Amino acid sequence: MNKTYSVIDVQPNQTALIQPVYGVHIAEVWSALVVQTVVCLVGASLNILNVVVFSHRQFTASPYIFMTALAVADAGILLVHLPFGLLRCDRRIYLCTTYVFKWLRPYLSYYVTYVGFELGNMLEALSAWITVFISTERYITIRWPHLSKLKFSRGQAKRQVVWIAIAAVTFHLPLFFVLEVRHVTRAIDNNQTRRFQTTSLTQFGSSVYYYSYTWIRFILVQFIPLVTLCVMNSLLLSLIWTSYRNQREYMKTQFQMKCQQKDIMLSSMIKHRIEAERQSALMCPFNGNGNVGDASPIRLLFSRTSMSRQVCLDSDSWRESRATVTKPVTGNLRLERSQQANNKLSVLLVAVIFLFLIGQIPQAFAYVHILDLITKKLCNSCPVYSSLYKHLSQLLCLSTSMSHFFLYTALNRHFRDCLRKTCFCRS
């Protein structure tokens, strides 16, 4: 009796090396089947929600265009990886021995071989390069604000995203010629044969050209972006701290100016009070007996007129002094608010970059050639644990793609407001 079995172990970010599914650790099988599937479903939903929120008119700046593109790339990565966990299931789990799962497995094998492997690498490169552009835009915006308006306007940001997507697709076109599905018939006991469906490397995938291509991809998609992001993130943190310190000094200066304003107001009021008392004394002269005498009407009129004029002069001088002190504060209020909003957005983007580094650095060490150099000839069980490490690093990367929603919700007030309005309107 002929039966078809699928044997495959290909992850999108790795060179396709074939390994039997039954040679993996049971913890990896359960994690791929349950945890990875849940992470992909929840993460894809949250990233789609990010795209919906960023489509509001409030998010018109160029950083939000990059963040929208990043959300689209992350949603695509999570959706592409969704069937991978199901394919890694084996006979040690009862669910994987059912008729429905056996019927579904060959289709999953075709999907991973001809769709998932290629799209996963494309979207991974797109996410990495967009994150590099996010860090570059933030650094130029903080360091040279006028230059950022020329190089990272809204229209230019859209064109940059399109060119990044075109470059990612074009660069990964050779991956469509790396893997193929083969049907192998093997003889078993009692003169029976069993038909296996395996995914193996093509002639191009086994050539030295593909080996060189994998190293070039590792340098362009993982090594250079990670080094660039580490350097840019350090520079951004330094610039944000400098801006925060300058803002504190500016607020301290404004506080001192307000204190001076209060002193000027108080001195003007005291001067006005003294002058008013002096004018009142002139209006009520004493006679020689110590009693209040009758002042002439002309003198009284002159005294009242001079007192009113002095009060007006004091009031005018007080207004001028107040305007002199408060005018710079009012003029710089808009600039101060703009700097505060810019610093908050910079902190959010630095957190996004840091989260990306957390997910990508362990995955860079999971690159198949580097991992083979580390684990080669060390122990017999190293392939099992190296496969487990590859899966855990991939799961960490998927989890960081899912976590952007929580960062936006925690650090961006406008995102929370739009999210609340969106959920309220749809409910």
Side-chain angles (χ1 to χ4, degrees), residues 368-380:
V368 62
H369 297 307
I370 295 178
L371 202 60
D372 287 344
L373 291 175
I374 297 175
T375 61
K376 190 176 182 180
K377 297 181 180 180
L378 290 180
C379 58
N380 295 328

Side-chain angles (χ1 to χ4, degrees), residues 150-321:
L150 298 176
K151 300 298 182 181
F152 291 98
S153 62
R154 181 176 175 82
Q156 289 180 343
K158 291 181 179 180
R159 288 191 291 270
Q160 289 166 359
V161 170
V162 172
W163 281 112
I164 292 172
I166 293 174
V169 173
T170 305
F171 182 74
H172 290 89
L173 287 178
L175 294 181
F176 286 95
F177 307 97
V178 173
L179 299 177
E180 63 179 353
V181 176
R182 294 180 180 178
H183 297 276
V184 180
T185 302
R186 297 177 183 176
I188 58 176
D189 297 336
N190 299 327
N191 295 325
Q192 293 182 353
T193 59
R194 180 175 294 177
R195 191 180 183 186
F196 291 89
Q197 179 177 296
T198 63
T199 298
S200 59
L201 295 172
T202 61
Q203 184 177 0
F204 170 73
S206 303
S207 64
V208 67
Y209 300 105
Y210 178 65
Y211 180 80
S212 303
Y213 170 82
T214 56
W215 277 108
I216 294 173
R217 184 191 178 276
F218 172 77
I219 293 173
L220 295 180
V221 177
Q222 291 181 323
F223 181 75
I224 293 179
L226 290 179
V227 173
T228 303
L229 289 174
C230 289
V231 174
M232 296 297 290
N233 223 25
S234 301
L235 294 176
L236 282 173
L237 288 174
S238 177
L239 288 176
I240 291 173
W241 173 250
T242 303
S243 177
Y244 176 74
R245 185 177 57 187
N246 294 336
Q247 187 177 358
R248 290 292 300 271
E249 292 178 355
Y250 173 77
M251 293 176 64
K252 184 178 179 180
T253 304
Q254 294 299 319
F255 178 75
Q256 293 176 354
M257 293 177 65
K258 289 181 180 180
C259 292
Q260 293 177 0
Q261 174 188 354
K262 292 180 180 180
D263 293 339
I264 293 174
M265 291 171 59
L266 183 60
S267 61
S268 299
M269 292 174 63
I270 294 174
K271 182 179 179 182
H272 170 66
R273 181 68 179 271
I274 294 174
E275 186 64 24
E277 291 179 355
R278 188 177 66 83
Q279 294 294 338
S280 298
L282 292 176
M283 291 174 59
C284 301
F286 291 89
N287 55 16
N289 298 325
N291 297 323
V292 178
D294 294 332
S296 62
I298 298 176
R299 185 175 180 181
L300 289 174
L301 180 61
F302 176 77
S303 300
R304 292 174 181 175
T305 304
S306 61
M307 184 180 69
S308 300
R309 185 179 301 171
Q310 185 66 31
V311 170
C312 293
L313 291 175
D314 292 339
S315 300
D316 293 339
S317 62
W318 176 76
R319 291 192 186 96
E320 290 178 359
S321 62

Side-chain angles (χ1 to χ4, degrees), residues 138 141-142 337-347:
R138 259 311 84 187
T141 300
I142 299 177
R337 291 179 179 177
S338 177
Q339 290 178 351
Q340 290 178 356
N342 197 18
N343 289 337
K344 290 180 180 179
L345 181 59
S346 300
V347 170

Side-chain angles (χ1 to χ4, degrees), residues 373-394:
L373 291 175
I374 297 175
T375 61
K376 190 176 182 180
K377 297 181 180 180
L378 290 180
C379 58
N380 295 328
S381 60
C382 283
V384 176
Y385 293 103
S386 63
S387 177
L388 180 61
Y389 173 76
K390 294 176 186 177
H391 167 71
L392 293 178
S393 62
Q394 182 71 26

